[in-house]
Structure formats: structure tokens, C-alpha cells
PDB file of all heavy atoms in Angstrom:
ATOM      1  N   LEU A   1     104.340  93.491 115.877  1.00  0.00           N
ATOM      2  CA  LEU A   1     103.622  92.818 114.726  1.00  0.00           C
ATOM      3  C   LEU A   1     103.186  91.431 115.202  1.00  0.00           C
ATOM      4  O   LEU A   1     103.959  90.625 115.777  1.00  0.00           O
ATOM      5  CB  LEU A   1     104.564  92.837 113.577  1.00  0.00           C
ATOM      6  CG  LEU A   1     104.006  92.237 112.248  1.00  0.00           C
ATOM      7  CD1 LEU A   1     104.696  92.922 111.081  1.00  0.00           C
ATOM      8  CD2 LEU A   1     104.298  90.676 112.201  1.00  0.00           C
ATOM      9  N   VAL A   2     102.036  91.129 114.792  1.00  0.00           N
ATOM     10  CA  VAL A   2     101.384  89.692 115.041  1.00  0.00           C
ATOM     11  C   VAL A   2     101.435  88.927 113.742  1.00  0.00           C
ATOM     12  O   VAL A   2     102.029  87.837 113.676  1.00  0.00           O
ATOM     13  CB  VAL A   2     100.035  89.793 115.602  1.00  0.00           C
ATOM     14  CG1 VAL A   2      99.475  88.350 115.741  1.00  0.00           C
ATOM     15  CG2 VAL A   2     100.019  90.557 116.903  1.00  0.00           C
ATOM     16  N   ALA A   3     100.905  89.521 112.674  1.00  0.00           N
ATOM     17  CA  ALA A   3     100.815  88.840 111.463  1.00  0.00           C
ATOM     18  C   ALA A   3     100.562  89.848 110.247  1.00  0.00           C
ATOM     19  O   ALA A   3      99.823  90.886 110.550  1.00  0.00           O
ATOM     20  CB  ALA A   3      99.720  87.780 111.458  1.00  0.00           C
ATOM     21  N   THR A   4     100.943  89.549 109.144  1.00  0.00           N
ATOM     22  CA  THR A   4     100.840  90.340 107.946  1.00  0.00           C
ATOM     23  C   THR A   4     100.446  89.487 106.859  1.00  0.00           C
ATOM     24  O   THR A   4     100.720  88.333 106.771  1.00  0.00           O
ATOM     25  CB  THR A   4     102.025  91.178 107.528  1.00  0.00           C
ATOM     26  OG1 THR A   4     103.103  90.340 107.300  1.00  0.00           O
ATOM     27  CG2 THR A   4     102.318  92.140 108.650  1.00  0.00           C
ATOM     28  N   ILE A   5      99.696  90.063 105.868  1.00  0.00           N
ATOM     29  CA  ILE A   5      99.385  89.381 104.695  1.00  0.00           C
ATOM     30  C   ILE A   5      99.431  90.326 103.488  1.00  0.00           C
ATOM     31  O   ILE A   5      98.921  91.497 103.528  1.00  0.00           O
ATOM     32  CB  ILE A   5      97.904  88.751 104.753  1.00  0.00           C
ATOM     33  CG1 ILE A   5      97.555  87.923 103.534  1.00  0.00           C
ATOM     34  CG2 ILE A   5      96.892  89.780 105.056  1.00  0.00           C
ATOM     35  CD1 ILE A   5      96.351  87.028 103.633  1.00  0.00           C
ATOM     36  N   THR A   6     100.058  89.983 102.456  1.00  0.00           N
ATOM     37  CA  THR A   6     100.277  90.797 101.218  1.00  0.00           C
ATOM     38  C   THR A   6      98.984  90.696 100.363  1.00  0.00           C
ATOM     39  O   THR A   6      98.013  89.901 100.577  1.00  0.00           O
ATOM     40  CB  THR A   6     101.398  90.451 100.431  1.00  0.00           C
ATOM     41  OG1 THR A   6     101.299  89.220  99.875  1.00  0.00           O
ATOM     42  CG2 THR A   6     102.707  90.401 101.305  1.00  0.00           C
ATOM     43  N   GLY A   7      98.938  91.564  99.312  1.00  0.00           N
ATOM     44  CA  GLY A   7      97.843  91.562  98.454  1.00  0.00           C
ATOM     45  C   GLY A   7      97.723  90.218  97.743  1.00  0.00           C
ATOM     46  O   GLY A   7      96.686  89.748  97.290  1.00  0.00           O
ATOM     47  N   GLY A   8      98.819  89.630  97.556  1.00  0.00           N
ATOM     48  CA  GLY A   8      98.940  88.287  96.904  1.00  0.00           C
ATOM     49  C   GLY A   8      98.725  87.172  97.781  1.00  0.00           C
ATOM     50  O   GLY A   8      98.663  85.995  97.287  1.00  0.00           O
ATOM     51  N   GLY A   9      98.540  87.394  99.048  1.00  0.00           N
ATOM     52  CA  GLY A   9      98.129  86.355  99.977  1.00  0.00           C
ATOM     53  C   GLY A   9      99.290  85.728 100.656  1.00  0.00           C
ATOM     54  O   GLY A   9      99.058  84.746 101.501  1.00  0.00           O
ATOM     55  N   SER A  10     100.540  86.252 100.544  1.00  0.00           N
ATOM     56  CA  SER A  10     101.595  85.763 101.368  1.00  0.00           C
ATOM     57  C   SER A  10     101.556  86.257 102.741  1.00  0.00           C
ATOM     58  O   SER A  10     101.201  87.382 103.042  1.00  0.00           O
ATOM     59  CB  SER A  10     102.944  86.158 100.759  1.00  0.00           C
ATOM     60  OG  SER A  10     103.110  85.786  99.487  1.00  0.00           O
ATOM     61  N   THR A  11     101.802  85.323 103.716  1.00  0.00           N
ATOM     62  CA  THR A  11     101.549  85.641 105.101  1.00  0.00           C
ATOM     63  C   THR A  11     102.997  85.615 105.889  1.00  0.00           C
ATOM     64  O   THR A  11     103.807  84.933 105.522  1.00  0.00           O
ATOM     65  CB  THR A  11     100.672  84.687 105.746  1.00  0.00           C
ATOM     66  OG1 THR A  11     101.049  83.316 105.604  1.00  0.00           O
ATOM     67  CG2 THR A  11      99.223  84.769 105.143  1.00  0.00           C
ATOM     68  N   ASN A  12     102.974  86.321 106.963  1.00  0.00           N
ATOM     69  CA  ASN A  12     104.123  86.342 107.942  1.00  0.00           C
ATOM     70  C   ASN A  12     103.588  86.425 109.347  1.00  0.00           C
ATOM     71  O   ASN A  12     102.655  87.224 109.549  1.00  0.00           O
ATOM     72  CB  ASN A  12     105.083  87.513 107.580  1.00  0.00           C
ATOM     73  CG  ASN A  12     106.264  87.503 108.471  1.00  0.00           C
ATOM     74  OD1 ASN A  12     106.359  88.301 109.360  1.00  0.00           O
ATOM     75  ND2 ASN A  12     107.255  86.767 108.086  1.00  0.00           N
ATOM     76  N   TYR A  13     104.205  85.612 110.268  1.00  0.00           N
ATOM     77  CA  TYR A  13     103.797  85.607 111.614  1.00  0.00           C
ATOM     78  C   TYR A  13     104.870  85.828 112.586  1.00  0.00           C
ATOM     79  O   TYR A  13     105.996  85.480 112.345  1.00  0.00           O
ATOM     80  CB  TYR A  13     103.077  84.393 111.927  1.00  0.00           C
ATOM     81  CG  TYR A  13     101.877  83.913 111.181  1.00  0.00           C
ATOM     82  CD1 TYR A  13     101.977  83.252 109.928  1.00  0.00           C
ATOM     83  CD2 TYR A  13     100.580  84.298 111.518  1.00  0.00           C
ATOM     84  CE1 TYR A  13     100.892  82.936 109.166  1.00  0.00           C
ATOM     85  CE2 TYR A  13      99.481  84.054 110.784  1.00  0.00           C
ATOM     86  CZ  TYR A  13      99.625  83.404 109.615  1.00  0.00           C
ATOM     87  OH  TYR A  13      98.546  83.140 108.861  1.00  0.00           O
ATOM     88  N   ALA A  14     104.613  86.517 113.668  1.00  0.00           N
ATOM     89  CA  ALA A  14     105.496  86.547 114.809  1.00  0.00           C
ATOM     90  C   ALA A  14     105.701  85.143 115.294  1.00  0.00           C
ATOM     91  O   ALA A  14     104.791  84.269 115.272  1.00  0.00           O
ATOM     92  CB  ALA A  14     105.065  87.356 115.886  1.00  0.00           C
ATOM     93  N   ASP A  15     106.942  84.910 115.746  1.00  0.00           N
ATOM     94  CA  ASP A  15     107.266  83.536 116.258  1.00  0.00           C
ATOM     95  C   ASP A  15     106.371  83.095 117.365  1.00  0.00           C
ATOM     96  O   ASP A  15     105.965  81.901 117.530  1.00  0.00           O
ATOM     97  CB  ASP A  15     108.653  83.481 116.802  1.00  0.00           C
ATOM     98  CG  ASP A  15     109.651  83.562 115.568  1.00  0.00           C
ATOM     99  OD1 ASP A  15     109.278  83.300 114.483  1.00  0.00           O
ATOM    100  OD2 ASP A  15     110.868  83.777 115.974  1.00  0.00           O
ATOM    101  N   SER A  16     105.906  84.028 118.085  1.00  0.00           N
ATOM    102  CA  SER A  16     105.039  83.664 119.249  1.00  0.00           C
ATOM    103  C   SER A  16     103.627  83.200 118.915  1.00  0.00           C
ATOM    104  O   SER A  16     103.020  82.656 119.744  1.00  0.00           O
ATOM    105  CB  SER A  16     104.872  84.876 120.133  1.00  0.00           C
ATOM    106  OG  SER A  16     104.301  86.051 119.530  1.00  0.00           O
ATOM    107  N   VAL A  17     103.301  83.466 117.654  1.00  0.00           N
ATOM    108  CA  VAL A  17     101.920  82.998 117.298  1.00  0.00           C
ATOM    109  C   VAL A  17     101.877  81.998 116.252  1.00  0.00           C
ATOM    110  O   VAL A  17     100.736  81.539 115.796  1.00  0.00           O
ATOM    111  CB  VAL A  17     101.025  84.281 116.869  1.00  0.00           C
ATOM    112  CG1 VAL A  17     100.994  85.329 118.017  1.00  0.00           C
ATOM    113  CG2 VAL A  17     101.554  84.882 115.573  1.00  0.00           C
ATOM    114  N   LYS A  18     102.994  81.675 115.695  1.00  0.00           N
ATOM    115  CA  LYS A  18     103.036  80.652 114.660  1.00  0.00           C
ATOM    116  C   LYS A  18     102.421  79.399 115.052  1.00  0.00           C
ATOM    117  O   LYS A  18     102.703  78.860 116.135  1.00  0.00           O
ATOM    118  CB  LYS A  18     104.451  80.473 114.147  1.00  0.00           C
ATOM    119  CG  LYS A  18     105.040  81.617 113.406  1.00  0.00           C
ATOM    120  CD  LYS A  18     106.565  81.335 112.983  1.00  0.00           C
ATOM    121  CE  LYS A  18     107.145  82.456 112.076  1.00  0.00           C
ATOM    122  NZ  LYS A  18     108.479  82.155 111.818  1.00  0.00           N
ATOM    123  N   GLY A  19     101.603  78.869 114.124  1.00  0.00           N
ATOM    124  CA  GLY A  19     100.849  77.623 114.413  1.00  0.00           C
ATOM    125  C   GLY A  19      99.637  77.768 115.205  1.00  0.00           C
ATOM    126  O   GLY A  19      98.838  76.799 115.353  1.00  0.00           O
ATOM    127  N   ARG A  20      99.325  78.995 115.748  1.00  0.00           N
ATOM    128  CA  ARG A  20      98.220  79.215 116.540  1.00  0.00           C
ATOM    129  C   ARG A  20      97.233  80.236 115.811  1.00  0.00           C
ATOM    130  O   ARG A  20      96.066  80.106 115.875  1.00  0.00           O
ATOM    131  CB  ARG A  20      98.492  79.692 117.865  1.00  0.00           C
ATOM    132  CG  ARG A  20      99.389  78.666 118.759  1.00  0.00           C
ATOM    133  CD  ARG A  20      99.474  79.068 120.129  1.00  0.00           C
ATOM    134  NE  ARG A  20     100.154  80.458 120.278  1.00  0.00           N
ATOM    135  CZ  ARG A  20      99.730  81.542 120.766  1.00  0.00           C
ATOM    136  NH1 ARG A  20      98.501  81.560 121.322  1.00  0.00           N
ATOM    137  NH2 ARG A  20     100.417  82.655 120.874  1.00  0.00           N
ATOM    138  N   PHE A  21      97.871  81.196 115.209  1.00  0.00           N
ATOM    139  CA  PHE A  21      97.024  82.237 114.585  1.00  0.00           C
ATOM    140  C   PHE A  21      97.080  82.136 113.136  1.00  0.00           C
ATOM    141  O   PHE A  21      98.119  81.646 112.488  1.00  0.00           O
ATOM    142  CB  PHE A  21      97.567  83.693 114.963  1.00  0.00           C
ATOM    143  CG  PHE A  21      97.417  84.124 116.355  1.00  0.00           C
ATOM    144  CD1 PHE A  21      96.961  83.241 117.353  1.00  0.00           C
ATOM    145  CD2 PHE A  21      97.709  85.380 116.735  1.00  0.00           C
ATOM    146  CE1 PHE A  21      96.743  83.580 118.722  1.00  0.00           C
ATOM    147  CE2 PHE A  21      97.501  85.704 118.082  1.00  0.00           C
ATOM    148  CZ  PHE A  21      97.058  84.860 119.046  1.00  0.00           C
ATOM    149  N   THR A  22      96.024  82.519 112.429  1.00  0.00           N
ATOM    150  CA  THR A  22      95.960  82.534 111.053  1.00  0.00           C
ATOM    151  C   THR A  22      95.373  83.826 110.529  1.00  0.00           C
ATOM    152  O   THR A  22      94.258  84.288 110.858  1.00  0.00           O
ATOM    153  CB  THR A  22      95.105  81.383 110.477  1.00  0.00           C
ATOM    154  OG1 THR A  22      95.608  80.075 110.909  1.00  0.00           O
ATOM    155  CG2 THR A  22      95.083  81.346 109.002  1.00  0.00           C
ATOM    156  N   ILE A  23      96.098  84.516 109.578  1.00  0.00           N
ATOM    157  CA  ILE A  23      95.608  85.699 108.985  1.00  0.00           C
ATOM    158  C   ILE A  23      95.086  85.403 107.582  1.00  0.00           C
ATOM    159  O   ILE A  23      95.698  84.603 106.886  1.00  0.00           O
ATOM    160  CB  ILE A  23      96.756  86.801 108.909  1.00  0.00           C
ATOM    161  CG1 ILE A  23      96.181  88.137 108.541  1.00  0.00           C
ATOM    162  CG2 ILE A  23      97.919  86.385 108.042  1.00  0.00           C
ATOM    163  CD1 ILE A  23      97.150  89.350 108.629  1.00  0.00           C
ATOM    164  N   SER A  24      94.080  85.988 107.399  1.00  0.00           N
ATOM    165  CA  SER A  24      93.403  85.838 105.899  1.00  0.00           C
ATOM    166  C   SER A  24      92.697  87.156 105.560  1.00  0.00           C
ATOM    167  O   SER A  24      92.586  88.017 106.392  1.00  0.00           O
ATOM    168  CB  SER A  24      92.379  84.662 105.955  1.00  0.00           C
ATOM    169  OG  SER A  24      91.415  84.857 106.810  1.00  0.00           O
ATOM    170  N   ARG A  25      92.287  87.158 104.224  1.00  0.00           N
ATOM    171  CA  ARG A  25      91.616  88.398 103.870  1.00  0.00           C
ATOM    172  C   ARG A  25      90.559  87.978 102.822  1.00  0.00           C
ATOM    173  O   ARG A  25      90.671  87.034 102.117  1.00  0.00           O
ATOM    174  CB  ARG A  25      92.624  89.344 103.243  1.00  0.00           C
ATOM    175  CG  ARG A  25      93.424  88.811 101.978  1.00  0.00           C
ATOM    176  CD  ARG A  25      94.600  89.765 101.692  1.00  0.00           C
ATOM    177  NE  ARG A  25      94.196  91.097 101.243  1.00  0.00           N
ATOM    178  CZ  ARG A  25      94.926  92.092 101.170  1.00  0.00           C
ATOM    179  NH1 ARG A  25      96.278  92.055 101.394  1.00  0.00           N
ATOM    180  NH2 ARG A  25      94.564  93.300 100.683  1.00  0.00           N
TER     181      ARG A  25
END
């Protein structure tokens, strides 16, 4: 897993990509 985003916009990131990757929808 790299990143997830819920229907409500809550996000979660793998530690290895935090601060560098941004998921959006």
C-alpha cells in the first residue's frame, strides 16, 4: 500500500512516502 483516500477525503500513507506523496480525488 502506498496511499488511500476515503470517500470523505481522509487519507493514509505508507511511512516511506509520508511528506512526499499526496493522494487526492
Side-chain angles (χ1 to χ4, degrees):
L1 184 147
V2 176
T4 60
I5 184 167
T6 69
S10 297
T11 59
N12 181 261
Y13 298 92
D15 289 340
S16 59
V17 306
K18 286 181 179 177
R20 300 187 298 119
F21 291 9
T22 302
I23 188 171
S24 61
R25 63 191 293 165

